[in-house]
Each structure stands twice: as structure tokens, then as C-alpha cells.
Amino acid sequence: MGFVAGNRIARSFLATPEKGAEQLVRLAEGVPGADWRQGAYSCRREATRPRNRRAVDADFARRFWDRFEELLAGRLPGAAR
């Protein structure tokens, strides 16, 4: 991050905080079905297909989540031990 913070050229490739938040704000303020399609991926205000096939792989998602829970077991406040 130090390289990016101190490098004007590198910073020019990054989005501003406002631009980065634009999609999130649009989803939060919008109406599903009218302003955006529920369950769809979107990029720059357009519905799109995910680039990585794992994004729609239910088996991968289950394995990922199981592993995530395994790694966090007992580390979160209120977690069953």
C-alpha cells in the first residue's frame, strides 16, 4: 500500500471512495426488480455473468463455508465451543 499511496501513477488506476461506493449505494437505495435484478451479478450498473465459474458452483461454496467455519470455530464471541 505504501507504493500506491506514494505513487501518483498507481493511484490513477484506483477508484475514488465515492466511485467505489456507488454500486453499494445503488443496491441499497434501489428496488429489486425495478432498479436491479435480485440474485444477479452486476458491474458498472449492468447485469453480467461472473468471470470465475466458482462463483456459481454450489459444491465449492459449501466446502468453502465449511472450511471457514472450521477455521473460526471457538474464535468468535458467543460461538459454540
Side-chain angles (χ1 to χ4, degrees):
M1 286 306 295
F3 169 76
V4 174
N7 188 307
R8 189 174 44 154
I9 295 171
R11 280 195 318 266
S12 70
F13 289 100
L14 300 176
T16 64
E18 293 79 13
K19 192 71 171 168
E22 187 176 287
Q23 177 82 347
L24 183 58
V25 170
R26 184 176 74 85
L27 294 173
E29 292 180 344
V31 177
D35 300 315
W36 47 271
R37 201 172 82 221
Q38 190 169 1
Y41 285 82
S42 63
C43 180
R44 297 187 180 115
R45 297 180 174 249
E46 298 290 328
T48 186
R49 293 173 43 178
R51 291 182 181 175
N52 189 321
R53 70 177 190 272
R54 287 183 173 175
V56 293
D57 183 341
D59 185 51
F60 175 78
R62 173 57 25 212
R63 290 191 324 270
F64 178 85
W65 191 256
D66 289 345
R67 180 65 177 143
F68 182 72
E69 286 182 326
E70 180 184 314
L71 291 170
L72 290 179
R75 295 177 187 234
L76 299 176
R81 294 178 191 229

